[in-house]
Amino acid sequence: MSRLGTTSAPWDAVIVGGGHNGLVCAALLAKAGKKVLVLERRERVGGATLTEEHYPGFRYTVASYVVSLLRPWLWRELDLARHGLQLIPLETSFSPYPDGRSLCRGPDPIATREEIGAFSRRDAEIYPTFGKSMGRLARFVKRFVDQTAPDPTSFRPRDLAQLVGHGRAFRELPDDEEALLTRLLTASATDFLRETFEADELIAPMSCSGIIGTCLGVSSPGTAYVLLHHYMGEIDGASRAWGLARGGNGAVADAIASSAQASGVTIRTSAAVDKILVERERAVGVVLVDGEEIRARTVVSGCEPRLTMLRMVGRDHLPSDYTAGLERYKNRGSSGKVNLSLDFLPEFTCRPGDGHLRGDIAIAPSTAYLEQAFAEAKAGRWSRRPYLNVVIPSLLDRTMAPPGKHVMSIFVQYAPYHLADGPSSWPQHRDAFRDDVLDTLQEYCPRLRDAILHAQVLSPWDLEQELGLTEGNIFHGELTLDQILFQRPVAGWARYKTPVRDLWMCASGTHPGGGVMGAPGGLCAREMLAAGAL
Amino acid sequence: MSRPTPFHPRTTAANRGWAYKEWAGFVAPCSYDRHSEREYVAFRHTVGVIDVSPLYKLDVRGPDAAALVARCWSRDATQMEPGRVVYATLSDDDGYLLDDGTITMLARDHVRVTSSEPWWAWMHDYARGLDVTLTDVSHLAALAIQGPLAADALAPLLDFDLTKMRFFRARRAKLAGRPVWITRTGYTGDLGYEVFCEPEHALALWDAIFEAGAPHGIEPCGLDALDVVRIEAGFVLQGVDYVTARLAPSPKRKSTAYEAGLGWTVELDRAPFVGQRAIRDEVRRGPAWATVGLDLSWEGLEALYARYDLPPHLAPIASRASVPVYDNGKKQIGQVTSSTWSPLLKRYIAIAQVQAKFATLGTQVQVEHTVDYERGVVGAVVAPRPFFDPPRKKAQPTLRSAP
C-alpha cells in the first residue's frame, strides 16, 4: 500500500482530537474499511460535547448543551440510537420579564397563541405562519448543510453542477420566499423579525439565536440568517428537533465513539498531539507531547483551524496567503458558561411551578437590553446584564442529578475573549463574572443563590485552555456570512483539504460549521473517501 | 356509554387535554395534554404511568387451572413455575389468531390471563372434564409503570427488593401497605412493571406511586404515547396489526400466530391444544404471510414532498391507517398496519404484513404515502423488530442514589 516517497504507515488515518466531529469522521472512515486511530488529549473523548461530574452526583453538560442539528443521516448511518444516544426534546421556550410578566412558547399551538396574545394579538395570530415560511426556507439551507460547499470561483464540473443546483433551487422558490431569503441573508435578526412581529417581548428572545457564538449584536446585519437554523431542526424529521442528549452532551460523543469502535476505530485518550509531522509537503503522522511518533497515510484534524495549522503544522509548511487567511479568520469568542448544582429547584417569581422550565429559558427581556449587553462587549467588558440561555437538564433527564436535586446550564453572552485588560486576565475576573450572571438570574429567581451547591464557571479563556477552542469561540470560528460555505475556514480551502497534502480538517472550523451537527466530520469523511485519499 | 376505571378521578384530574377514547367499554385518555410529547418522553426517559384497567382479566383456579390454560393458549402452562409470566396467543381450531395476552402463574392452582377481548365463555367451553373455576376479574384495577426509572418510583413503596425481580416474573406484594400483584411486564419494550389490585385500593396506590415518583419525573400517560413506544418495541396490536378471527369481516383478514409475527409464542409439541393441528400443518407448509418491521427512507420522504415543493410533514402521533405495500414492480404485496415517526430513533418506522417471500431482512419495498391528497410511494426496507430494544428492559435495575 505504500506510495512513492512515504513510508508504509500502520494507520490509514490518524484523527487529532476526539470531539464529536473527529469521532464521526473516524467512524465513517472505519465503516469504509479503513484503519483509523483517534488521539484525544483529555482523559475522555468529547471535546466540547462533554459531560463531567464536578460535584458528587451532579453531572454537567459542560460546554455545548443542546442537540439540535446533529445530522439525521449520521444518526442513522452510525446507528447512534443503538449506541445509546437518546434525544429528549425541549418542550418550551420561556422568557421572564422584569415587570413580572412572562412568555412561554411550547408544543401546544393554541396555548402558545394565547401566551403571545398577551403581548400582541397580531403576533399571536401570525406566529404559526412565520414558522411555516421559515420551515420552507430552511429546506433551502439544508441543501447546503448536507453537502460539501461548492466553490463559486472554480470551474470544475462538480462545483458548477452544484452551484447550478443551488441556483435552480433558489430560482424555484416563490418570489415572496426568494425575497424573504435574500433579506434573511443580509438583515439583522431584529430588523428581520420586526417585519413580521411587533411585540418586543417576542422579538428579543427570538432574535438571540442570531447572535449565539458570534461577537455581533441583534441589530448587526447578517444575524438573521442563523434564525433559520432554528427551523432547520424541525424539517429534519418531525417536530421538536431541539433537545437534550440523555446523559448530557457527553452522551453524543460516547455514542459516536461506541459506533466508531464497533466499526474498528482505535481510540487513545490522554494522548495529546504536539505536532503534525510534515515531510516533503505531505502530512505523514503526528508527534505526541511525550515524543511518541505515530505515522499514518493521512492526518485529519478535529481541532480548530488556527490551532491545527499555525500551532500543530507551523507556518513553515504553509503558503503565506493561506496563513494570512487564517489570521483574518474571526474566532472572537463572545460567550461563557456557568454550570450549577442545585439543592432544590428555584422557582421564577413571575410563574411558579416547573412546567414551563422543561425547555430553554431566555433572559432577553428586550432588544434594548440585548443592545446594551453588546455595547459592553464592544468596550471589552462582559455584559453586567448579559443574555442568558438557561436549561435545567435534570428536569427532563433525571440521570443528571440526585432525586429532587437539579443541575442548571447557563449559557452567557456577552463574555468577550478580548477583555480590555487582555484575555489572560479572565481568571482574575472569573468570580465577578459569575456574580453578574447570578445577579442577573436572581432578579427573576430570588432563591437561586440559596440553592447553589456548586458552580463551574467557564470564561472564553477557560474554553480555550480546557477545550482547545481558540479564543473561546464555541463554533471554531464565527458563523458569519464571510466565514461560511466556500470561505470556511479560508476561501478556496472549504473542501476539508489543506495546503499540506494528506492533511484534512473535519471539525466545526470547516463547512458547515458548529452547532453539534457532526456535518463537518461526516462530509470530510465522504470527501476523503471520494478522493481516494486513503 | 363508556365506564370510568377505578383510577378515573385521578386520570381526569390530571388531564389537561380532554382527549379520550373508548377502550373495552372504558374511558381511556389519549393524552394528558393537547399533545403527547411529555408522555412519550416519560416512557422513554423517566417513568410513564398508564391505566391499563380496561384489559380483560380472567382468573383460572383449581387443580386443572394450568391444564385448561395450556389447552386454549399457545403456551404449555402446565410447565410454568409459580411466579412466571409468559406472553401467549389464543387461536381457533383452524389456527387463526383470536387474541394475544399474558399468562401469569400466581400459584400452581391459580392462573391469571390478561387479554384484549373477553374469553370467559370460550375457555369455559374447553373446561369440560377439568376441575377448574373461571372468574372474570376484569374489575381489578391495573396500572402499568414503565420507563427507565420505573424501579426508582416503585421500589421504596414495596415490601420486597424490587431490583431483584426478573423480567416476566410476578409476585404478590404490599405496595404502600396495600395488597397487590406486581409483574415485570409491559407494552413499551422498556423497563417496566404492572400492578393489579382491588379497585378500592386504586386511588391510594395512584397517590403513593405519584408521590414516590415525583423526584424521578413521573407522568401519567395516555394511549397516544403508548402507541408510539409499542411500535418502537415492535409489538403488534389486536384490532390494528391483526384482527381477531372471530370478528374478521372476511377470511382474508384472518391471520395465524405465525403470520402475525407471534409464532415464537407457540409451543407446538405437547398435549393437544386448540388449533394445534392446523398450526402444525401451517408450519409444515410455511406461513403465507409475515409481519415485518419497515424502515421508511427519510430521503425518499423528502424527495416525495419536494415534488410538491413541501418540507416533509408527519403526524405527531402514530398512524393506524392501513396503507398498501408494493414490491418494486408496483404489485401490492401487503399492507402497513401501524406506523410512526420515532423521535428516539429519528426514523419513520412501520409494522407491516407482507407476503412471506418479502420478509427477509433488507428486502426493498415501496409504501404508499399521500401528499397533497395524491398517493405516491416511498422506499422502505425490511428492518429488524424490535426497532428499539434497550438492555435495561431485561437487566437488573440500579436505583439512583438517594439524596
Side-chain angles (χ1 to χ4, degrees):
Chain A
M1 295 292 282
S2 82
R3 287 176 299 183
L4 197 65
T6 58
T7 47
S8 171
W11 302 102
D12 291 318
V14 57
I15 315 268
V16 183
H20 68 286
N21 275 311
L23 293 167
V24 163
C25 185
L28 289 176
L29 293 177
K31 276 192 88 163
K34 307 300 176 188
K35 273 197 76 182
V36 184
L37 171 69
V38 175
L39 298 170
E40 168 54 43
R41 176 176 60 89
R42 304 180 92 245
E43 65 282 3
R44 70 186 73 194
V45 295
T49 48
L50 186 67
T51 304
E52 279 182 339
E53 189 170 308
H54 288 261
Y55 187 75
F58 294 76
R59 300 200 291 160
Y60 293 149
T61 183
V62 174
S64 66
Y65 58 101
V66 285
V67 182
S68 49
L69 301 169
L70 185 63
R71 306 315 303 142
W73 67 271
L74 290 172
W75 205 294
R76 291 185 284 265
E77 197 156 327
L78 301 180
D79 212 353
L80 297 182
R82 196 166 60 80
H83 288 282
L85 182 57
Q86 299 181 32
L87 190 72
I88 310 180
L90 292 174
E91 278 177 28
T92 50
S93 290
F94 176 68
S95 323
Y97 305 100
D99 63 5
R101 293 188 299 167
S102 60
L103 170 65
C104 182
R105 293 174 285 149
D108 180 343
I110 308 295
T112 299
R113 190 175 72 202
E114 286 160 3
E115 289 269 350
I116 298 172
F119 297 91
S120 158
R121 194 164 175 168
R122 177 182 302 277
D123 290 358
E125 284 182 23
I126 209 157
Y127 186 75
T129 321
F130 180 77
K132 189 171 139 243
S133 31
M134 293 295 274
R136 293 182 56 89
L137 291 182
R139 277 187 311 152
F140 188 76
V141 175
K142 188 179 149 85
R143 293 177 59 92
F144 291 96
V145 167
D146 286 342
Q147 291 179 24
T148 299
D151 188 342
T153 62
S154 143
F155 290 99
R156 285 188 304 173
R158 191 183 113 175
D159 289 289
L160 289 174
Q162 245 186 310
L163 281 168
V164 167
H166 291 323
R168 187 177 295 138
F170 183 72
R171 219 179 48 234
E172 281 171 5
L173 288 173
D175 284 352
D176 54 336
E177 286 178 11
E178 206 174 285
L180 192 65
L181 186 62
T182 308
R183 288 203 300 283
L184 253 177
L185 292 174
T186 51
S188 74
T190 48
D191 283 348
F192 182 79
L193 289 165
R194 277 194 194 110
E195 288 180 17
T196 308
F197 300 114
E198 61 184 13
D200 198 56
E201 292 87 348
L202 178 64
I203 293 169
M206 283 181 84
S207 69
C208 290
S209 53
I211 53 164
I212 284 177
T214 65
C215 208
L216 293 172
V218 285
S219 54
S220 309
T223 48
Y225 155 76
V226 188
L227 291 172
L228 270 189
H229 276 200
H230 250 277
Y231 292 87
M232 201 172 69
E234 314 244 326
I235 60 164
D236 278 341
S239 57
R240 300 281 128 204
W242 289 79
L244 304 174
R246 183 177 164 88
N249 262 11
V252 176
D254 290 344
I256 301 169
S258 164
S259 174
Q261 284 168 321
S263 298
V265 171
T266 304
I267 297 175
R268 277 180 61 186
T269 53
S270 302
V273 170
D274 183 42
K275 284 281 173 211
I276 291 168
L277 268 177
V278 181
E279 291 173 2
R280 291 179 222 169
E281 293 166 29
R282 282 175 187 273
V284 295
V286 296
V287 184
L288 305 189
V289 284
D290 64 8
E292 183 184 345
E293 198 175 292
I294 298 169
R295 295 205 159 236
R297 294 184 59 192
T298 56
V299 177
V300 186
S301 171
C303 300
E304 188 277 330
R306 279 221 294 247
L307 175 62
T308 303
M309 302 309 296
L310 301 182
R311 268 246 302 274
M312 294 180 182
V313 173
R315 287 160 204 270
D316 295 350
H317 300 292
L318 299 172
S320 57
D321 56 341
Y322 186 84
T323 313
L326 276 184
E327 278 166 346
R328 276 196 304 272
Y329 186 67
K330 295 193 299 286
N331 266 298
R332 300 195 301 189
S334 58
S335 56
K337 187 86 193 288
V338 176
N339 295 309
L340 301 177
S341 297
L342 300 173
D343 193 31
F344 56 88
L345 185 70
E347 291 191 332
F348 281 71
T349 313
C350 59
R351 194 184 298 218
D354 64 20
H356 51 289
L357 304 180
R358 297 164 60 100
D360 74 316
I361 304 158
I363 304 297
S366 67
T367 50
Y369 175 102
L370 296 169
E371 279 305 315
Q372 173 59 29
F374 178 49
E376 289 174 90
K378 280 190 287 192
R381 301 192 304 265
W382 67 87
S383 317
R384 294 300 180 267
R385 285 292 174 271
Y387 159 58
L388 303 182
N389 191 267
V390 182
V391 174
I392 308 172
S394 51
L395 270 178
L396 290 154
D397 174 4
R398 303 279 165 166
T399 65
M400 298 299 281
K405 315 284 180 187
H406 290 281
V407 283
M408 182 184 269
S409 154
I410 310 174
F411 172 86
V412 189
Q413 191 156 335
Y414 299 82
Y417 176 82
H418 294 287
L419 286 180
D421 42 355
S424 61
S425 69
W426 260 112
Q428 70 213 52
H429 295 303
R430 206 184 282 129
D431 289 351
F433 168 66
R434 177 201 59 206
D435 287 344
D436 281 335
V437 171
L438 296 181
D439 285 347
T440 304
L441 194 54
Q442 186 141 336
E443 285 174 12
Y444 304 92
C445 254
R447 294 194 64 204
L448 178 68
R449 275 198 170 82
D450 301 338
I452 297 174
L453 299 169
H454 175 266
Q456 178 192 33
V457 183
L458 293 164
S459 70
W461 172 261
D462 300 316
L463 292 172
E464 179 180 69
Q465 302 300 312
E466 289 284 316
L467 302 175
L469 298 172
T470 302
E471 296 187 18
N473 188 289
I474 60 170
F475 294 141
H476 288 197
E478 290 186 342
L479 284 174
T480 46
L481 282 178
D482 55 332
Q483 299 200 155
I484 59 170
L485 296 167
F486 61 93
Q487 310 208 80
R488 191 168 185 91
V490 173
W493 296 101
R495 291 182 176 279
Y496 313 98
K497 285 184 184 169
T498 68
V500 180
R501 289 198 66 178
D502 294 329
L503 174 62
W504 298 71
M505 281 198 288
C506 74
S508 301
T510 58
H511 174 78
V516 200
M517 283 198 260
L523 293 174
C524 175
R526 278 187 181 175
E527 285 290 318
M528 290 177 73
L529 293 168
L534 71 179
Chain B
M1 198 182 98
S2 294
R3 281 175 294 139
T5 76
F7 297 107
H8 190 76
R10 294 294 183 273
T11 55
T12 312
N15 204 311
R16 302 169 290 260
W18 297 99
Y20 293 90
K21 65 178 163 191
E22 182 271 344
W23 176 12
F26 289 90
V27 196
C30 298
S31 60
Y32 282 80
D33 278 302
R34 278 182 288 207
H35 58 87
S36 56
E37 268 180 30
R38 183 175 295 195
E39 295 153 51
Y40 172 80
V41 169
F43 275 143
R44 286 292 179 238
H45 301 290
T46 60
V47 203
V49 175
I50 182 160
D51 177 4
V52 291
S53 305
L55 283 172
Y56 288 94
K57 305 161 214 96
L58 190 59
D59 270 5
V60 189
R61 289 174 192 262
D64 295 329
L68 174 62
V69 172
R71 186 181 279 185
C72 296
W73 290 78
S74 64
R75 299 285 199 162
D76 188 358
T78 62
Q79 300 300 308
M80 286 171 68
E81 292 297 315
R84 291 299 298 261
V85 187
V86 291
Y87 179 63
T89 48
L90 182 74
S91 299
D92 66 12
D93 272 324
D94 300 325
Y96 286 113
L97 194 52
L98 293 166
D99 205 352
D100 62 281
T102 59
I103 297 169
T104 305
M105 292 296 284
L106 302 180
R108 291 217 177 272
D109 57 354
H110 185 185
V111 188
R112 180 169 294 159
V113 177
T114 64
S115 55
S116 67
E117 293 283 325
W119 300 108
W120 181 89
W122 177 273
M123 289 182 68
H124 199 265
D125 287 350
Y126 287 99
R128 257 168 303 210
L130 296 180
D131 186 0
V132 292
T133 53
L134 281 162
T135 319
D136 187 337
V137 291
S138 297
H139 70 282
L140 291 178
L143 210 53
I145 299 98
Q146 306 279 309
L149 304 181
D152 293 271
L154 290 179
L157 301 172
L158 285 161
D159 60 347
F160 72 99
D161 182 358
L162 183 64
T163 63
K164 297 287 193 314
M165 186 175 203
R166 289 163 61 198
F167 188 54
F168 266 71
R169 294 298 197 283
R171 63 174 289 166
R172 197 194 294 270
K174 285 267 174 62
L175 200 151
R178 310 216 171 217
V180 298
W181 278 99
I182 179 168
T183 58
R184 185 167 166 185
T185 51
Y187 200 53
T188 60
D190 213 308
L191 176 65
Y193 305 88
E194 286 171 300
V195 171
F196 300 82
C197 69
E198 290 296 333
E200 62 263 32
H201 301 305
L203 298 183
L205 286 185
W206 176 283
D207 293 341
I209 290 168
F210 275 84
E211 191 187 336
H216 308 292
I218 200 166
E219 293 284 344
C221 296
L223 293 169
D224 285 353
L226 184 70
D227 223 9
V228 176
V229 294
R230 70 98 188 163
I231 296 171
E232 290 177 340
F235 294 147
V236 294
L237 179 59
Q238 192 279 117
V240 175
D241 301 294
Y242 75 91
V243 185
T244 177
R246 281 219 292 194
L247 299 176
S250 68
K252 194 185 168 194
R253 299 279 285 273
K254 295 180 180 180
S255 301
T256 66
Y258 282 90
E259 289 172 341
L262 299 175
W264 61 274
T265 68
V266 180
E267 288 168 346
L268 200 51
D269 296 318
R270 56 182 173 93
F273 63 95
V274 183
Q276 186 182 37
R277 183 180 299 174
I279 295 173
R280 201 169 262 153
D281 288 347
E282 185 201 14
V283 169
R284 202 173 297 130
R285 63 171 190 270
W289 293 85
T291 294
V292 296
L294 290 182
D295 195 343
L296 277 78
S297 157
W298 183 253
E299 289 72 20
L301 275 167
E302 278 185 332
L304 180 61
Y305 279 88
R307 287 218 287 275
Y308 295 85
D309 192 27
L310 290 170
H313 177 78
L314 301 175
I317 58 170
S319 166
R320 294 176 171 188
S322 56
V323 177
V325 178
Y326 302 99
D327 68 3
N328 285 332
K330 294 287 166 67
K331 189 166 79 61
Q332 187 173 348
I333 54 153
Q335 58 282 332
V336 160
T337 48
S338 294
S339 58
T340 190
W341 169 257
S342 166
L344 191 72
L345 304 171
K346 294 222 167 242
R347 285 154 61 191
Y348 189 26
I349 55 177
I351 295 173
Q353 210 172 78
V354 295
Q355 291 168 17
K357 64 178 172 186
F358 293 96
T360 316
L361 288 182
T363 305
Q364 302 273 345
V365 296
Q366 309 268 321
V367 176
E368 185 182 288
H369 190 85
T370 301
V371 182
D372 261 6
Y373 309 125
E374 290 180 15
R375 293 174 189 181
V377 289
V378 172
V381 61
V382 175
R385 268 188 314 147
F387 297 99
F388 178 65
D389 192 16
R392 67 189 182 219
K393 176 174 82 177
K394 294 184 180 176
Q396 179 174 356
T398 27
L399 299 183
R400 304 168 69 203
S401 56

